[in-house]
């Protein structure tokens, strides 16, 4: 059994904290030594990608200390406990099994009398079978016509991850002529969200995926009723157009109101559920189950690489260690995720949930307040768009923000144009390369307004092309990074008690059971 | 002439900085006194909206000090200098005239021999005339068929603001049956961005708005060539399908390659250009010029309210003062913008550019380094989506993030459903009301994992409905807030030198004129 200790009680951490030396990124990246460093400071990742950290504020000495920290914190042992079914989610007393949806990393996990890997695989098979029947026209609308659109109804983890993954592969699938169905997403309880999607789709040829683990998520059930209304107004029967993704014990399971129900369970948290039935149903319908399987393969490969106990060969672990160093030693409170790929435009929103909901905590896994900083604020937009927006602050603001770039050698469509001697894809790549050096090395200028201090740390993940495997690998990389950071901070990264109070108070408002300031606000909105 | 001084040299600021008293938000908002405070801590805004700041960490004593700061910093005088045509953008030696696109607040501004208000109005009239002809079928494609879609090609300020405004009113216009044309946007140099939009529209019935002040923005010209290719492949003539928004001296002006050209000038920065021809062309085509005029009216009303020298009656000024207090005294480094309106889903991305590009600076307007923090990191997503995502960190994380909520009494579509006794719109509003109190007051719990510390500051702007006027007023509120904050920090909020270095280095990469680490990165991307 690994020992779960607060970060500031670890000897390796005390050594890091006591060391006042700081790496000067600008100097480190200059000249031939800088070129050598950029080449060699890297870790291979899954799906042929590579994590480059030459522009981070680390050197061999510090890396050695971080490796000692990883060892003393028993990151590898804790990961093993997790994937072999220990009760890692202490608050809710649950196992944490999302990796099992894509592979098996250790001993069988038997819970509630069930082999969980077999359970998740069985759901994938059921989804694949269903999706194939829809694509083949064996499952159709009442008029016997094929479904052309799939609409996911879910919020939070049932929305952001699957949506980001769909958007990431939509162009790739179009370009390969493998897009089976268009996907749309309804999430917000704002009625205008559902009404907009419904105004833009052909309801008669749409299949709706209702995603709610408990079967009681108010936002999702509310949106379901908009959808049912729309289906009925089109003279159709909702039960011919809806499937459910839920837990086996929910009111949505074995319910004649749905064409089919596919299952996840309590051991897969919402923000970690993209590779479960939550993402599996919509992505298998949109792209075909074989494409979804390729996403899983990329993630499985990344999960396996995360087992390596040497951080210098484990990109997720090294990324996590450097992040904790930036957060707790360099006092950097936010991190920007900057994919140079329009297809990843909503990937930062998914990572924002994944990271901030997992590690935005002030108590350790035993419920004791910690005396150090935990998870950072995560934000980001795709490049080059961000360059024309908030990069000003990143370059010359008074707050230093560590940067996580992602870039690819090739674009997804097999088409491009040459302007001024280069393709758009080369321009895109040239920009991300330039940004890394600009942030790290800065520029002297007598005009202080045109002066760039440099010293702003970044890493970059480089892949050949954003394929299903690469996407799965990226997803798992960040999940595992966040997990390792949670281990370092000694947090329970798998609950989310911080969202409960708002829910509770909202219910009181709707029941008119309020007073004081809440009553005033409630009156202002005429509730 | 106002005196431009660094924040930390102002006597009023020194008094604020010397005061170690902190307002306990939780106590302040409790009980009947808290209700009274929530009711009375408000400032009327334009378009019938109201700014409520009862959940901010301020009290009457501190507000008085902030008012003294506003006076000593001569915020009102500086605003007057700006709207009457002083060279406020010192770095680029330019006037700053975006307010003139929607009204005139003071004396005539004559620049380059032209009355600038008349110039901007003339462009609006030309756009209105053009849009009406397109809507009436007097300007058509070569086959004499009406255009149905308008596609904006631009990046940064030519994209985010107009896109956020379009998305904000798309449902409203649909609901009122006034949507004249669908709008789409192409921005990223990533070729997959243009290719995706082109794969989804009907090119033969689309009109493209190329937006580039200089007429030389590489991303935009690159995307133009994708569009021209697509038009030609459809057997059509690009010049029948394209208009330009540019400066009068650019190569795009008076160019037979475009159906028409509409003009802005150097006195309107990209991020402040939504109310100029940059937003005017696409929004007038999509919604009709009379709707665009209503956006301008809302903005004009907000601009006029910003002239009030009493911060207690000037929402933008008070918002700015409280933000500087949070940034420099309470050491809060980021701000979340959380609109409870799906229609405002991209408004935070616009504000992210507006704020971070304007005030993410380390030197004052005279080019001297400042010794205090400036603009914060801005991020946000619409509620209730964010509640199911990153709110965990906002409630229980170790970093306190000030929150800027926006909410409306009514939704945009005239349609809703009742579930469990309330409409979706009421549920949405109940949630934002609940969040404000949850963040401010927290909750005691013996289980520290379920304990909420509270004391997390927020403000909320409440309006009846997101109409064109309300949208214009919101846009101008934040522009003026950012402007006042720039005045307080003594920054030039109207240049963006921080984006130049990356551009320069990217050009060198594309010209293969690199060495060292940049050459390594360039090779990794096979450039």
């Amino acid at each position: 059994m690994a020992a779960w200790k607060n970060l500031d009680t670890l000897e390796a951490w005390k050594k890091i904290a006591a060391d006042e030396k700081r790496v000067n990124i600008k100097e480190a990246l200059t000249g031939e030594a800088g070129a050598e460093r950029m080449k060699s400071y890297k870790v291979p990742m899954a799906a042929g990608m590579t994590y480059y950290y030459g522009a981070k504020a680390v050197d061999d000495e510090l890396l050695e200390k971080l490796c000692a920290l990883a060892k003393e914190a028993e990151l590898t042992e804790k990961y093993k406990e997790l994937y072999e079914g220990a009760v890692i989610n202490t608050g809710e007393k649950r196992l944490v099994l999302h990796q099992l949806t894509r592979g098996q990393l250790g001993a069988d996990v038997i819970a509630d009398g069930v082999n969980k890997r077999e359970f998740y695989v069985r759901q994938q098979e059921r989804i694949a079978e269903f999706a194939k029947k829809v694509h083949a026209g064996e499952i159709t609308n009442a008029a016997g016509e094929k479904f052309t659109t799939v609409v996911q109804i879910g919020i939070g983890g049932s929305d952001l991850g699957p949506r980001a993954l769909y958007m990431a592969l939509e162009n790739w699938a179009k370009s390969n002529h493998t897009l089976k169905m268009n996907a749309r997403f309804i999430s917000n309880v704002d009625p205008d969200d559902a009404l907009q999607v419904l105004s833009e789709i052909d309801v008669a040829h749409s299949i709706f995926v209702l995603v709610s683990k408990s079967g009681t998520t108010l936002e999702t059930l509310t949106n379901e009723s908009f959808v049912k209304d729309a289906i009925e107004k089109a003279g159709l029967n909702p039960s011919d157009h809806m499937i459910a993704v839920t837990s086996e014990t929910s009111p949505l399971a074995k319910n004649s109101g749905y064409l089919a129900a596919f299952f996840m369970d309590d051991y897969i948290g919402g923000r970690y559920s993209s590779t479960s039935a939550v993402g599996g149903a919509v992505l298998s319908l949109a792209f075909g189950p074989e494409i979804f399987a390729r996403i899983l393969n990329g993630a499985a490969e990344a999960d396996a690489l995360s087992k390596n106990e040497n951080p210098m060969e484990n990109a997720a672990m090294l990324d996590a260690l450097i992040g904790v160093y930036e957060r707790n030693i360099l006092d950097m409170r936010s991190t920007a995720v900057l994919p140079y790929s329009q297809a990843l435009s909503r990937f930062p929103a998914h990572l924002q949930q994944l990271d901030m909901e997992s590690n935005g905590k002030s108590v350790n896994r035993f419920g004791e307040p910690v005396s150090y900083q935990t998870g950072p604020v995560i934000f980001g937009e795709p490049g080059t768009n961000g360059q024309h927006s908030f990069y000003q602050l990143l370059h010359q603001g008074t707050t230093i923000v560590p940067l996580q770039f992602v870039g690819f050698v090739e674009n997804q469509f097999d088409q491009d144009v040459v302007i001024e001697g280069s393709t758009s894809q080369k321009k895109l790549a040239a920009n991300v390369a330039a940004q890394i050096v600009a942030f790290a090395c800065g520029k002297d200028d007598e005009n202080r307004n045109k002066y760039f201090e440099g010293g702003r740390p970044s890493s970059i993940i480089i892949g050949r092309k954003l394929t299903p495997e690469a996407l799965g690998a990226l997803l798992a990389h960040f999940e595992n990074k966040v997990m390792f950071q949670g281990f370092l901070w000694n947090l329970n990264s798998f609950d989310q008690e911080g969202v409960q109070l708002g829910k509770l108070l909202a219910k009181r408002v709707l029941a008119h059971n309020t007073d004081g300031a809440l009553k005033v606000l409630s009156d202002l909105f005429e509730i």
Side-chain angles (χ1 to χ4, degrees), chain A:
Chain A
M1 287 280 289
W4 299 89
K5 294 180 183 171
N6 280 3
L7 178 66
D8 55 0
T9 65
L10 301 178
E11 293 308 316
W13 179 253
K14 288 178 190 166
K15 275 187 196 154
I16 292 168
D19 186 357
E20 290 183 7
K21 196 182 118 187
R22 298 287 175 264
V23 174
N24 183 320
I25 304 173
K26 187 172 172 175
E27 279 176 17
L29 265 197
T30 300
E32 271 319 296
E36 201 42 55
R37 175 185 161 104
M38 186 51 80
K39 259 186 227 167
S40 63
Y41 270 28
K42 68 177 176 189
V43 185
M45 294 173 58
M49 297 189 292
T50 310
Y51 172 70
Y52 290 91
Y53 57 97
K56 284 289 193 187
V58 295
D59 60 11
D60 291 347
E61 197 185 322
L62 177 57
L63 288 167
E64 210 170 290
K65 290 195 175 101
L66 292 172
C67 289
L69 175 64
K71 195 166 183 183
E72 189 183 352
E74 302 182 278
L75 298 184
T76 305
E77 291 77 2
K78 288 171 182 168
Y79 181 34
K80 185 164 190 289
E81 286 188 21
L82 181 146
Y83 63 68
E84 292 195 336
V87 181
I88 296 295
N89 180 350
T90 43
E92 300 175 306
K93 299 191 174 43
R94 290 177 180 171
L95 322 190
V96 175
L97 300 182
H98 54 274
Q99 280 101 345
L100 270 189
T101 60
R102 49 234 194 184
Q104 184 157 336
L105 298 160
D108 279 356
V109 180
I110 313 291
D112 315 327
V114 175
N115 179 312
K116 297 309 289 190
R117 170 73 183 149
E118 285 172 10
F119 171 73
Y120 299 135
V121 169
R122 176 77 193 113
Q123 298 311 311
Q124 287 162 12
E125 290 167 354
R126 292 181 59 229
I127 289 169
E129 200 179 336
F130 181 86
K132 281 178 187 160
K133 283 185 185 165
V134 170
H135 300 153
E138 294 168 32
I139 295 174
T140 63
N141 68 8
E145 297 156 341
K146 272 194 177 187
F147 291 112
T148 57
T149 299
V150 50
V151 182
Q152 175 105 331
I153 310 170
I155 194 163
S158 303
D159 170 53
L160 292 169
R163 190 195 293 251
L165 298 185
Y166 173 74
M167 290 175 72
L169 291 182
E170 189 184 13
N171 286 339
W172 177 88
K174 273 186 193 166
S175 183
N176 291 296
H177 308 290
T178 59
L179 187 67
K180 309 272 188 191
M181 298 170 78
N182 291 304
R184 297 296 302 268
F185 295 82
I186 296 173
S187 55
N188 202 334
V189 74
D190 182 341
D192 294 338
D193 189 16
L195 290 168
Q196 170 158 22
V197 172
L198 290 168
S199 77
E200 291 172 359
I201 61 168
D202 170 12
V203 171
H205 299 91
S206 295
I207 195 160
F208 297 85
V209 187
L210 188 77
V211 187
S212 170
K213 194 187 289 180
S214 62
T216 61
T217 312
L218 192 55
E219 278 94 338
T220 301
L221 295 181
T222 300
N223 279 323
E224 182 189 29
S225 76
F226 274 109
V227 166
K228 283 188 172 167
D229 265 12
I231 297 173
E232 281 164 1
K233 274 186 194 148
L236 302 163
N237 186 349
S239 63
D240 291 342
H241 289 259
M242 305 201 70
I243 64 174
V245 173
T246 189
S247 66
E248 286 182 291
T249 55
S250 110
L252 307 179
K254 296 172 192 126
N255 181 321
S256 64
Y258 303 93
L259 270 174
F262 305 106
F263 304 118
M264 82 281 240
D265 62 25
D266 280 344
Y267 304 145
I268 297 180
R271 56 194 174 274
Y272 296 93
S273 67
S274 297
T275 52
S276 77
V278 171
V282 61
L283 297 173
S284 297
L285 283 164
F287 300 129
E290 59 289 347
I291 302 300
F292 181 62
R294 288 176 59 186
I295 297 175
L296 299 181
N297 290 344
E301 194 193 340
D303 289 340
L305 291 176
S306 294
K307 290 172 72 173
N308 194 316
E309 63 187 341
N310 180 1
M312 308 309 295
E313 296 168 354
N314 182 336
M317 192 183 281
L318 185 60
D319 199 354
L321 288 161
I322 294 174
V324 168
Y325 177 77
E326 289 171 338
R327 181 79 173 114
N328 298 90
I329 302 294
L330 303 182
D331 189 28
M332 295 169 179
R333 300 185 196 172
S334 57
T335 294
V337 183
L338 307 166
Y340 274 62
S341 163
Q342 187 64 24
L344 292 176
S345 61
R346 289 301 283 171
F347 202 67
H350 165 64
L351 295 187
Q352 188 174 57
Q353 172 181 24
L354 176 68
D355 202 322
M356 294 174 71
E357 197 170 31
S358 294
N359 291 336
K361 315 266 165 85
S362 298
V363 297
N364 69 11
R365 51 190 293 108
F366 307 111
E368 301 153 356
V370 295
S371 52
Y372 42 80
Q373 298 292 311
T374 61
V377 166
I378 303 287
F379 69 101
E381 292 285 336
T384 59
N385 290 6
Q387 289 178 210
H388 293 258
S389 169
F390 55 86
Y391 277 33
Q392 165 65 40
L393 183 145
L394 302 183
H395 278 290
Q396 293 188 316
T398 52
T399 295
I400 295 185
V401 179
L403 311 168
Q404 187 120 36
F405 290 106
V406 180
F408 301 94
V409 178
E410 296 171 17
N411 65 317
Q412 290 188 315
F413 278 107
D414 293 327
Q415 204 184 326
D416 208 333
V417 291
V418 174
I419 301 280
E420 295 184 10
S422 61
T423 62
S424 281
Q425 182 60 29
K426 294 294 177 211
K427 288 187 188 77
L428 183 68
N431 272 282
V432 69
Q435 288 297 333
I436 290 171
V437 173
F439 279 114
C441 298
K443 178 171 83 71
D444 277 331
D445 201 302
E446 286 191 14
N447 180 344
R448 285 289 303 202
N449 206 24
K450 296 174 191 290
Y451 166 84
F452 293 73
E453 192 182 22
R456 295 175 186 232
S458 70
S459 63
I460 181 164
I461 292 169
I462 300 180
R464 174 143 292 277
K465 189 171 183 166
L466 182 54
T467 59
E469 289 83 359
L471 182 63
L474 273 179
L475 181 82
H477 171 85
F478 286 104
E479 287 179 3
N480 294 332
K481 171 191 170 178
V482 166
M483 171 192 72
F484 285 130
Q485 291 194 327
F487 291 164
L488 287 163
W489 285 316
N490 204 25
L491 305 174
N492 175 6
S493 303
F494 304 99
D495 67 356
Q496 54 282 324
E497 292 294 343
V499 306
Q500 299 305 327
L501 178 56
K503 278 190 200 175
L504 197 80
L505 294 182
K507 274 188 192 161
R508 282 182 42 197
V509 172
L510 291 169
H512 302 283
N513 173 25
T514 61
D515 56 9
L518 191 51
K519 175 78 169 59
V520 173
L521 285 163
S522 171
D523 288 346
L524 288 172
F525 281 109
E526 303 176 11
I527 298 164

